[in-house]
Amino acid sequence: MKSPDEARGETRGEVRDAAGDAGDAGEPGTVRPGGRTARVRAAVLEAAGDTLAEQGFHGLDLAEIARRADVGKTTVYRRWGTVAGLVADLLTDMAEQSLPRTETGSLLEDLLANAALVRRTLADPRQGALFKAVIAAATGDARTAEALHRFYEVRVAEWAPCVRQAVERGELPEGTDAAEVIRAVSAPLYYRFLTTGEPLDEAAAERAARAAVAAARAGAYVRG
């Protein structure tokens, strides 16, 4: 029977051995691997997320990320190329791993669930720090900004059907812009998160959802 240390050593060896599986296909940070290569990606992205949360964007260094992930740095440089490429892939992974939307048959209940999810994410010590670091980096790095925009496009698109279904049920006026309604739920929570420092509590999330529903019902988000 292998000791725990031997087992961990074999796991690290698998991660290092996967270097040859990564290849050079595609732009750095865009490959969607499987098997051992997937474990390399998971280890590197976890290390990148931890570093972002602890030290911010300027604390990211590909060689240090490779060390923390116990992966050969040649693999990291070949696979992601730059810090911006690594952050772009991290955001892609976060969008893919985010929880799916809730469908209750009620617009208010759906958007309350959306607001609660946003609040939990931003209030989480690791996730909140990570988002602050990425948002700050996006103000000065075009590729990070592009990746952040894609992340939010994916999340808004995931929840927009809740609004379209509400229009079909007659809860909202025809022509309501579903994406604008979803963004209206998150906006006051991000404002607190990034500017005022006020608590991101459940009451704040509920107010955000109820305000978005009231505005949508009044026609505030009808296109044109």
Side-chain angles (χ1 to χ4, degrees):
M1 180 178 294
K2 298 180 180 67
S3 70
D5 288 340
E6 289 173 329
R8 282 193 292 272
E10 288 188 1
T11 300
R12 294 191 189 100
E14 285 183 354
V15 172
R16 291 195 191 95
D17 290 345
D21 296 338
D24 296 314
E27 184 181 0
T30 62
V31 181
R32 296 293 171 267
R36 289 183 301 172
T37 306
R39 290 195 289 276
V40 169
R41 181 178 182 241
V44 170
L45 294 185
E46 181 178 6
D50 289 345
T51 304
L52 270 172
E54 295 165 10
Q55 304 177 27
F57 183 80
H58 294 294
L60 285 179
D61 175 79
L62 294 187
E64 175 61 16
I65 296 300
R67 187 195 65 78
R68 291 185 66 155
D70 204 14
V71 174
K73 66 179 181 180
T74 301
T75 298
V76 175
Y77 278 100
R78 183 176 64 239
R79 174 75 180 281
W80 286 277
T82 64
V83 165
L86 179 56
V87 171
D89 196 28
L90 176 63
L91 286 167
T92 297
D93 183 69
M94 289 169 59
E96 292 170 349
Q97 300 301 324
S98 294
L99 293 174
R101 70 178 179 275
T102 299
E103 292 188 23
T104 66
S106 160
L107 177 65
L108 177 58
E109 293 301 321
D110 290 347
L111 295 191
L112 283 170
N114 177 260
L117 176 60
V118 173
R119 186 201 72 81
R120 287 196 305 271
T121 300
L122 298 182
D124 180 83
R126 180 183 185 275
Q127 291 292 92
L130 193 158
F131 271 103
K132 279 187 177 179
V134 172
I135 290 169
T139 63
D141 182 86
R143 186 169 180 187
T144 303
E146 181 183 351
L148 188 64
H149 297 161
R150 285 199 304 268
F151 171 85
Y152 286 116
E153 284 173 2
V154 170
R155 297 311 298 148
V156 169
E158 170 68 23
W159 284 83
C162 295
V163 179
R164 290 195 289 269
Q165 290 162 8
V167 173
E168 293 169 0
R169 292 192 300 264
E171 286 191 67
L172 296 179
E174 290 288 338
T176 295
D177 189 320
E180 284 296 314
V181 176
I182 299 301
R183 285 192 282 265
V185 176
S186 299
L189 300 178
Y190 273 90
Y191 185 82
R192 281 177 174 246
F193 176 64
L194 294 171
T195 61
T196 69
E198 295 175 87
L200 276 172
D201 53 19
E202 294 180 2
E206 182 174 345
R207 280 195 302 272
R210 290 185 180 277
V213 170
R217 286 175 175 164
Y221 302 111
V222 173
R223 289 184 291 272

